[in-house]
């Protein structure tokens, strides 16, 4: 029993050190990875790249031509529209299209999704706004809904279920073929939007429904989906041109939009779009969609025209943190590391990474040698310390510290 | 004999445990006084909105996070520090009882006291939550607060280990281990964010319950 208590403490120490020591290492030695900002220029019909380095910002195109700040901004007129208008350098027309600030503004949109948005606590209660209240501003309803075995509205003030409203909405959903419960409820739960378009809800059979409330009555529309289509993430948008309701990311890493009113699913000609692993940013303007996919060691940018056809793409890589000198050193020092948090998740977990290189085994071997000397000095039996040697061999410096903090010398 | 051992433990920790229990109840009451106050000054629907969509953690009010930890720390010190004064625990080891069993009994008694206080706090917290919030908010809140209570037990076990350790050098090193391990229960996270880590955290807490045997053994064997 006492022996077991010692090994428990050794394990606890190894866990603590595998979290604490690498954390200290990265605090001391990590360096920022400067990710280039890449956008397609409708003036140059080429990608413009802005890099930040130790000498400041560098702006260039894919052929290596360098630009001043002003020149760079002029190549991306829709990104810097306010600056160009201020300095009177906004062209009167681009590609034969007259520049109208209202039109520019109507067609400009930005969108971002990152892995932590997906690996996050699933929200199950939402406010259902009145979509046609006749008021200029949206108002926060008094109740919230959940879709479990039925669609249930809970009054916030009394914390009681609103039976009549719940039955009305549940009945309509049921009649439209909704299979309870909902797998995901996706919308924009805020009054700070131009209008309310309700929620896109995936039911338990992966069917997609559009649900909103119009003058107190339920509005439910089933969206026709190609067979077997499943979504890993749906993000509703509130863009001024009202072309579509949402960006939809399928489980086979494709990107779709769902057009407004017609409920047509349009696939973007882009590959391997996985918001669970990479950050996805989408900028749209009068001429193009820029879809920027960025990971730890790469950026890929697709430029699409407004008919959603691919115009050009750009790909760049750089060494990931593990491949840089500070990453290689840590791989030689530790067999792996544990972190309770991760930049790609909102959950607390034991995020365990094992080093792909085996250089740490050299240090482990050295530490086994040191332990051997310690045991000999204390005149202890080698046979009774074999488990300690194995612990050091497997967990390196963490195990070495642990077995010496909780010494074994009484057990022979 | 066992009754006397338990009574001795109770005598050592009774005031600390009573104060901890009282403070715990007050802390829970304080949280819901604040909730009630906020609901008077805000629309309930907006208050729910802050919690659901803006990351407001009503249960983080009044340093509630640290109450189980501080309580457990105080109970552990009250229970084990007197045993180290003049090495009184050796008297216990001279009783006609199994030494490990005595240590485990001491630890079990302390753990049950802490558990009783935590259960009272937890039940009070849950029942008051039921008055104001729907199950979605309550479940996520309980997932977030569970590691704080578990942390109390971990601190109790580790403080017992540290206090009973006879050698100062090792005491210091155990403190370093505790310093590296305990914060994993106290990370800042979104409400409900601790859910994936909870099973392992519970496992670590349970297995740590016998850690006291290690320093108890060293104490018995006269490690200096």
């Amino acid at each position: 029993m006492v022996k077991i208590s010692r090994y428990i403490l050794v394990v606890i120490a190894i866990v603590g050190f595998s979290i604490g020591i690498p954390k200290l290492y990265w605090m001391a030695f990590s360096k920022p990875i400067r990710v280039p900002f890449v956008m397609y220029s409708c003036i140059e019909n080429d990608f413009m790249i802005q890099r930040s380095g130790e000498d400041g910002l560098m702006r260039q195109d894919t052929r290596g031509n360098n630009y001043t700040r002003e020149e760079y901004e002029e190549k991306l007129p829709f990104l810097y529209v306010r600056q160009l208008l201020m300095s009177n350098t906004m062209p009167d027309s681009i590609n034969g299209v007259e520049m109208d600030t209202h039109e520019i503004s109507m067609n400009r949109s930005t969108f971002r999704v990152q892995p932590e948005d997906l690996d996050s606590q699933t929200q199950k209660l939402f406010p259902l706004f009145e979509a046609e209240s006749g008021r200029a501003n949206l108002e926060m309803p008094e109740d919230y809904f959940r879709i479990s075995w039925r669609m249930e509205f809970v009054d916030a003030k009394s914390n009681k279920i609103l039976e009549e409203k719940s039955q009305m909405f549940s009945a309509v959903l049921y009649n439209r073929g909704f299979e309870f419960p909902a797998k995901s409820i996706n919308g924009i739960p805020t009054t700070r939007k131009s209008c309310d378009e309700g929620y896109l809800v995936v039911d338990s059979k992966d069917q997609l429904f559009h649900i909103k409330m119009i003058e107190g009555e339920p509005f439910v529309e089933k969206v026709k989906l190609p067979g077997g289509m499943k979504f890993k993430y749906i993000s509703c948008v509130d863009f001024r041109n009202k072309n579509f309701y949402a960006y939809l990311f399928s489980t086979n890493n494709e990107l779709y939009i769902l057009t407004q009113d017609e409920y047509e699913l349009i696939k973007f000609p882009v590959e391997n779009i996985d918001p669970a692993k990479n950050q996805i940013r989408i900028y749209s303007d009068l001429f193009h969609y820029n879809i920027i996919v960025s990971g730890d060691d790469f950026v890929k940018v697709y430029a699409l025209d407004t008919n959603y056809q691919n115009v050009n793409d750009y790909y760049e890589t750089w060494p990931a943190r593990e491949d840089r000198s500070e990453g290689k050193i840590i791989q030689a020092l530790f067999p792996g590391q544990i972190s309770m948090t991760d930049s790609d998740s909102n959950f607390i977990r034991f995020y365990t990474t094992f080093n792909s290189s085996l250089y740490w085994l050299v240090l482990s071997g050295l530490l086994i040698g040191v332990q051997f000397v310690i045991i000999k000095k204390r005149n202890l039996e080698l046979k009774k310390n074999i488990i300690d040697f194995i612990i050091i061999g497997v967990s390196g410096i963490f195990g070495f510290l642990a077995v010496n903090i909780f010494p074994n010398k009484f057990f022979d | 004999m066992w009754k006397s051992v338990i009574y001795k433990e109770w005598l050592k920790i009774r005031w600390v445990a009573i104060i901890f229990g009282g403070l715990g109840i007050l802390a829970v009451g304080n949280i819901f006084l604040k909730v009630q106050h906020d609901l008077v000054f805000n629309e309930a629907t907006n208050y729910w909105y802050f919690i659901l969509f803006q990351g407001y953690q009503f249960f983080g009010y009044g340093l509630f996070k640290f109450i189980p930890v501080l309580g457990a720390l105080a109970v552990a010190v009250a229970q084990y520090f007197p045993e180290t004064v003049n090495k009184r625990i050796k008297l216990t080891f001279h009783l006609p009882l199994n030494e490990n069993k005595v240590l485990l009994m001491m630890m079990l008694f302390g753990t049950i006291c802490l558990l009783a206080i935590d259960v009272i706090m937890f039940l009070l917290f849950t029942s008051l939550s039921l008055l104001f919030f729907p199950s979605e908010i309550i479940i996520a809140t309980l997932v977030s607060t569970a590691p704080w209570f578990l942390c109390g037990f971990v601190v109790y076990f580790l403080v017992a280990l540290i206090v009973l350790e006879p050698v100062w050098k090792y005491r210091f090193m155990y403190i370093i281990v505790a310093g590296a391990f305990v914060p994993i229960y106290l990370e800042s996270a979104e409400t409900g964010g601790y859910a994936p880590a909870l099973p392992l955290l519970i496992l670590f807490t349970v297995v740590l319950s016998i850690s006291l045997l290690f320093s108890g053994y060293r104490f018995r064997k006269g490690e200096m």
Side-chain angles (χ1 to χ4, degrees):
Chain A
M1 195 75 155
V2 181
K3 271 190 180 181
I4 293 171
S5 76
R6 176 184 177 252
Y7 287 119
I8 287 168
L9 287 166
V10 167
V11 170
I12 294 296
I14 290 172
V15 171
F17 291 146
S18 329
I19 294 169
I21 296 175
K23 201 175 188 176
L24 291 175
Y25 175 89
W26 285 118
M27 287 256 272
F29 301 111
S30 72
K31 292 179 189 137
I33 294 174
R34 296 189 166 95
V35 180
F37 179 66
V38 185
M39 284 282 277
Y40 192 71
S41 163
C42 59
I43 307 284
E44 287 289 307
N45 290 324
D46 190 9
F47 287 97
M48 304 300 293
I49 307 153
Q50 181 172 263
R51 302 176 194 282
S52 64
E54 284 176 8
D55 305 326
L57 287 174
M58 263 178 60
R59 301 166 185 93
Q60 50 191 197
D61 57 25
T62 58
R63 290 156 290 174
N65 299 318
N66 286 307
Y67 297 95
T68 63
R69 181 178 183 170
E70 286 71 26
E71 288 167 340
Y72 171 78
E73 287 171 352
E74 283 168 24
K75 305 292 179 198
L76 298 170
F78 301 120
L79 193 63
Y80 297 101
V81 61
R82 285 186 64 225
Q83 181 60 45
L84 297 192
L85 286 171
M86 199 182 197
S87 52
N88 285 325
T89 47
M90 188 77 188
D92 294 333
S93 69
I94 298 172
N95 300 336
V97 177
E98 195 182 333
M99 288 300 101
D100 172 74
T101 48
H102 179 253
E103 277 297 305
I104 294 172
S105 156
M106 285 290 285
N107 288 285
R108 239 166 55 128
S109 71
T110 60
F111 169 82
R112 187 178 77 160
V113 58
Q114 45 197 0
E116 66 173 85
D117 298 328
L118 277 76
D119 200 23
S120 190
Q121 185 75 10
T122 313
Q123 205 59 261
K124 287 178 183 148
L125 271 184
F126 291 87
L128 187 61
F129 300 95
E130 172 54 60
E132 291 179 14
S133 66
R135 307 288 309 168
N137 295 323
L138 288 169
E139 287 170 0
M140 185 58 86
E142 297 290 319
D143 49 55
Y144 287 74
F145 73 91
R146 61 168 74 101
I147 304 181
S148 49
W149 64 279
R150 63 171 181 165
M151 187 167 182
E152 223 165 38
F153 290 83
V154 189
D155 178 52
K157 198 168 185 180
S158 62
N159 196 20
K160 298 257 163 57
I161 288 167
L162 303 174
E163 202 51 51
E164 202 180 320
K165 193 173 178 182
S166 303
Q167 282 181 13
M168 178 170 67
F169 274 80
S170 301
V172 174
L173 275 175
Y174 181 78
N175 289 333
R176 296 288 160 85
F178 190 94
E179 297 280 345
F180 293 94
K183 264 191 182 171
S184 76
I185 301 172
N186 314 277
I188 310 176
T190 173
T191 52
R192 292 181 184 176
K193 53 187 178 183
S194 63
C195 64
D196 180 62
E197 287 298 347
Y199 293 87
L200 289 172
V201 182
V202 179
D203 73 1
S204 62
K205 293 267 167 68
D206 293 302
Q207 304 178 100
L208 183 64
F209 288 83
H210 184 204
I211 301 171
K212 58 182 175 177
M213 181 166 68
I214 298 175
E215 293 173 355
E217 300 284 325
F219 168 94
V220 179
E221 188 75 40
K222 186 173 169 182
V223 180
K224 278 186 191 155
L225 295 178
M229 176 167 281
K230 292 181 186 177
F231 297 107
K232 70 166 71 167
Y233 190 68
I234 296 173
S235 185
C236 292
V237 295
D238 178 37
F239 298 149
R240 287 190 175 183
N241 59 13
K242 303 286 170 204
N243 282 346
F244 51 93
Y245 288 120
Y247 286 115
L248 303 95
F249 299 86
S250 71
T251 47
N252 49 359
N253 298 336
E254 294 167 338
L255 170 59
Y256 295 84
I257 52 170
L258 181 66
T259 60
Q260 187 121 357
D261 301 327
E262 284 85 27
Y263 294 98
E264 191 189 347
L265 266 184
I266 296 175
K267 182 174 175 289
F268 275 18
V270 290
E271 294 163 0
N272 250 337
I273 298 287
D274 187 359
K277 287 187 182 152
N278 305 311
Q279 185 194 64
I280 319 282
R281 283 172 293 162
I282 305 174
Y283 296 87
S284 79
D285 57 44
L286 261 177
F287 299 119
H288 296 108
Y289 283 85
N290 277 272
I291 298 152
I292 305 172
V293 184
S294 38
D296 291 340
D297 58 353
F298 78 95
V299 63
K300 176 136 195 182
V301 187
Y302 299 90
L304 311 187
D305 62 20
T306 46
N307 294 318
Y308 315 117
Q309 298 305 308
N310 200 329
V311 175
N312 205 343
D313 50 49
Y314 178 86
Y315 183 61
E316 183 178 329
T317 58
W318 53 83
R321 192 172 78 159
E322 297 73 37
D323 301 326
R324 292 150 63 110
S325 54
E326 62 269 30
K328 284 179 180 161
I329 292 170
I330 201 171
Q331 296 206 21
L333 290 176
F334 312 127
Q337 51 191 308
I338 303 174
S339 174
M340 298 307 290
T341 55
D342 187 281
S343 57
D344 286 346
S345 174
N346 278 323
F347 282 118
I348 303 287
R349 278 195 191 99
F350 288 85
Y351 296 96
T352 308
T353 44
F354 296 101
N355 284 339
S356 49
S357 104
L358 295 175
Y359 289 121
W360 61 272
L361 280 172
V362 177
L363 184 63
S364 284
L366 205 69
L367 292 168
I368 287 175
V370 175
Q371 188 67 10
F372 182 82
V373 174
I374 292 172
I375 286 168
K376 278 286 163 198
K377 262 191 163 180
R378 288 180 182 165
N379 285 326
L380 301 175
E381 271 186 63
L382 274 181
K383 215 169 59 183
K384 292 188 174 170
N385 286 279
I386 286 172
I387 296 178
D388 281 12
F389 287 124
I390 295 170
I391 289 171
I392 297 171
V394 173
S395 60
I397 196 162
F398 308 133
F400 176 77
L401 290 171
V403 297
N404 283 294
I405 286 176
F406 299 103
N408 196 16
K409 57 182 172 175
F410 271 121
F411 300 127
D412 45 21
Chain B
M1 185 73 77
W2 285 113
K3 269 188 182 172
S4 308
V5 172
I6 292 169
Y7 185 62
K8 181 190 71 158
E9 296 309 304
W10 170 242
L11 287 182
K12 282 189 290 182
I13 67 167
R14 58 185 172 171
W15 290 115
V16 175
I18 289 166
I19 291 168
F20 168 37
L23 278 178
I25 290 167
L26 281 178
V28 175
N30 190 30
I31 286 171
F32 286 94
L33 196 63
K34 175 82 163 61
V35 169
Q36 184 269 338
H37 169 271
D38 288 347
L39 284 170
V40 171
F41 281 82
N42 294 284
E43 292 289 331
T45 183
N46 292 334
Y47 195 64
W48 281 26
Y49 187 82
F50 297 148
I51 294 169
L52 289 168
F53 299 106
Q54 296 191 325
Y56 177 64
Q57 299 186 322
F58 71 92
F59 51 91
Y61 182 68
L63 296 177
F64 181 58
K65 184 177 187 172
F66 299 104
I67 299 275
V69 179
L70 292 175
L73 180 79
V75 169
V77 172
Q79 194 178 0
Y80 296 103
F81 180 70
E83 300 290 353
T84 62
V85 178
N86 298 327
K87 300 195 172 157
R88 281 179 203 157
I89 196 157
K90 288 209 166 183
L91 296 175
T92 310
F93 291 151
H94 284 121
L95 294 173
L97 296 168
N98 179 295
E99 293 166 339
N100 280 346
K101 272 191 183 167
V102 173
L103 275 178
L104 286 178
M105 178 56 79
M106 288 167 71
M107 181 136 277
L108 185 66
F109 178 76
T111 308
I112 287 172
C113 286
L114 288 180
L115 190 66
I117 295 165
D118 285 352
V119 165
I120 291 168
M121 282 167 69
F122 212 70
L123 288 178
L124 186 66
F125 184 91
T126 310
S127 41
L128 287 172
S129 295
L130 282 167
L131 294 178
F132 299 103
F133 302 118
S135 57
E136 286 82 355
I137 292 178
I138 298 173
I139 291 167
T141 301
L142 294 182
V143 167
S144 277
T145 51
W148 304 348
F149 287 97
L150 289 175
C151 188
F153 292 102
V154 168
V155 165
Y156 172 74
F157 299 140
L158 289 176
V159 169
L161 173 88
I162 292 163
V163 172
L164 272 197
E165 165 59 43
V167 184
W168 265 104
K169 181 178 80 178
Y170 284 105
R171 259 188 201 166
F172 178 71
M173 289 196 283
Y174 296 173
I175 290 171
I176 291 175
V177 171
F181 186 73
V182 169
I184 70 175
Y185 290 80
L186 300 172
E187 296 276 352
S188 299
E190 67 170 7
T191 308
Y194 252 105
L198 267 185
L200 259 185
L201 291 180
I202 292 169
L203 178 72
F204 283 140
T205 310
V206 171
V207 296
L208 258 177
S209 61
I210 59 163
S211 61
L212 177 68
L213 291 181
F214 182 72
S215 49
Y217 184 86
R218 288 165 56 76
F219 208 104
R220 281 195 329 257
K221 296 293 175 183
E223 178 77 5
M224 298 300 280

